[in-house]
Amino acid sequence: MPKNRNTAQSHSNVSQKSDMATSIWNVKEFNSLRDVATIVPLEKTHISVSGLLPNEVANRILDSLRRLSISSIFRRSKATLLAESLDRTQFYIRLFKKIDGANRAIVVELQRKNGCSLTFVSMARTILREVKHGYIDEESTSNMYVATHDKNIITATDDRTHKEMEEDMTFELELVADNLVENCFIDAKLIAMGSLRALLDGWSTDSRISLAAANNILRGDDDTHEAIKRSIFQYVCHPCHEKYFHNELEERHCLVMHNLALAALANMLQIFSESRNELQVIVKSDE
């Protein structure tokens, strides 16, 4: 749910200056960090860390980025990194201070800027876990996945990785539902519907995960999935006529959401067309 708190940086800048971040991200003073209490609601991809100095937290982040082959550049003024993975998924990493009476903690927030939402969730989980608990020397990059396809044949992944991908899918659907229903910012809704479209695309996401997500949404068997299904149908069915809007911005927003919702629905139908048994079960349950 990017909030446009930073200006855009190009991929080339990230790649060219990645080594610079390692040497200059030197956050020595706790009090130099921005107070988390003054920040708009944080992303769900954040943690609080106690007992570590700011520089130790920064070093853990940089070490994790190096292990995952993620480049980054540093914004000194706001203790922020802009990171970019090999598949060009970009995200911000920010440090804040949290003071609760005598208790002091450092808050680490990761916020996706653009790129694959599932790849981001997977990277965020790995980075935050290593910040919280330190690096554990076992399959250091097994949690990273970027779906690759050849005539709709997905590269093999082990059971553990697939289970983690399903967990990431569940988390991503919760983020999408929050932004579509609870968030009042139109850009957040656009990003959420765009992420949903990508998640349901069996060519850009592991087709098994796309099928599971589509199955959950169409069944609407819990509040999260039902909210997403309602939003898709709401924007698909909206007439998008000028008489329904107060201004041009509202009309433009609705048109884009309408197109994204249509694409999400088309992706679901496409993924179900390749697994007819699943679609038959859903149709019968709706009857």
Side-chain angles (χ1 to χ4, degrees):
M1 168 174 89
K3 301 184 182 68
N4 299 326
R5 296 204 293 260
N6 294 75
T7 57
Q9 299 286 342
S10 68
H11 171 68
S12 59
N13 285 341
V14 173
S15 300
Q16 293 169 1
K17 299 181 182 178
S18 59
D19 293 336
M20 190 184 304
T22 303
S23 60
I24 68 172
W25 202 22
N26 190 19
V27 189
K28 292 184 178 180
E29 296 295 329
F30 177 84
N31 289 329
S32 68
L33 300 176
R34 288 178 293 166
D35 193 335
V36 73
T38 65
I39 306 301
V40 295
L42 294 174
E43 303 290 330
K44 287 190 175 182
T45 44
H46 78 273
I47 57 169
S48 296
V49 183
S50 301
L52 291 176
L53 297 173
N55 217 31
E56 293 174 317
V57 173
N59 287 336
R60 285 190 178 187
I61 292 171
L62 293 172
D63 287 343
S64 184
L65 293 178
R66 279 194 293 269
R67 279 188 287 271
L68 296 174
S69 299
I70 297 173
S71 57
S72 59
I73 57 175
F74 175 60
R75 295 195 66 194
R76 183 185 300 275
S77 61
K78 295 188 176 181
T80 299
L81 284 183
L82 172 59
E84 183 171 319
S85 66
L86 293 175
D87 71 333
R88 300 200 173 186
T89 297
Q90 293 186 330
F91 56 97
Y92 297 110
I93 305 177
R94 300 184 179 92
L95 301 183
F96 305 103
K97 63 183 176 184
K98 181 180 180 181
I99 302 175
D100 183 11
N103 299 319
R104 298 177 9 141
I106 297 172
V107 175
V108 182
E109 179 198 40
L110 275 67
Q111 180 188 59
R112 184 172 70 92
K113 180 175 182 287
N114 54 46
C116 176
S117 56
L118 273 181
T119 300
F120 166 70
V121 171
S122 178
M123 291 186 295
R125 176 182 26 199
T126 299
I127 294 167
L128 293 178
R129 182 180 62 239
E130 292 187 3
V131 170
K132 188 86 170 178
H133 304 291
Y135 172 62
I136 300 174
D137 188 12
E138 58 174 8
E139 301 178 351
S140 62
T141 58
S142 67
N143 293 321
M144 276 292 299
Y145 54 82
V146 178
T148 56
H149 304 258
D150 180 12
K151 295 182 179 179
N152 211 32
I153 298 175
I154 312 302
T155 54
T157 56
D158 57 35
D159 291 340
R160 178 180 176 184
T161 301
H162 183 63
K163 182 176 183 297
E164 290 169 347
M165 290 170 73
E166 288 182 328
E167 292 172 354
D168 292 343
M169 174 204 70
T170 300
F171 182 74
E172 177 64 18
L173 288 178
E174 290 174 354
L175 289 178
V176 167
D178 283 349
N179 286 333
L180 286 177
V181 179
E182 303 294 338
N183 201 310
C184 61
F185 296 105
I186 61 174
D187 58 342
K189 294 181 184 293
L190 288 169
I191 291 166
M193 192 64 80
S195 296
L196 183 62
R197 178 196 58 182
L199 178 62
L200 295 168
D201 184 354
W203 287 94
S204 64
T205 303
D206 187 318
S207 61
R208 297 168 297 175
I209 299 302
S210 294
L211 178 60
N215 202 332
N216 290 339
I217 291 168
L218 287 187
R219 286 179 182 275
D221 52 5
D222 66 21
D223 292 343
T224 294
H225 303 144
E226 182 62 29
I228 293 174
K229 181 169 73 170
R230 277 200 312 270
S231 290
I232 291 174
F233 292 161
Q234 171 191 342
Y235 285 107
V236 165
C237 298
H238 199 291
C240 293
H241 192 277
E242 61 181 12
K243 69 180 182 180
Y244 292 97
F245 308 110
H246 295 97
N247 53 56
E248 185 178 344
L249 178 61
E250 285 186 6
E251 182 179 4
R252 176 62 181 164
H253 167 69
C254 187
L255 285 171
V256 175
M257 290 293 286
H258 174 74
N259 291 335
L260 289 173
L262 279 174
L265 182 58
N267 286 344
M268 283 196 286
L269 294 176
Q270 173 65 31
I271 201 74
F272 277 126
S273 72
E274 299 161 6
S275 180
R276 295 180 180 178
N277 291 337
E278 292 285 345
L279 184 58
Q280 289 173 359
V281 170
I282 291 176
V283 171
K284 289 180 180 178
S285 66
D286 284 345
E287 292 175 351

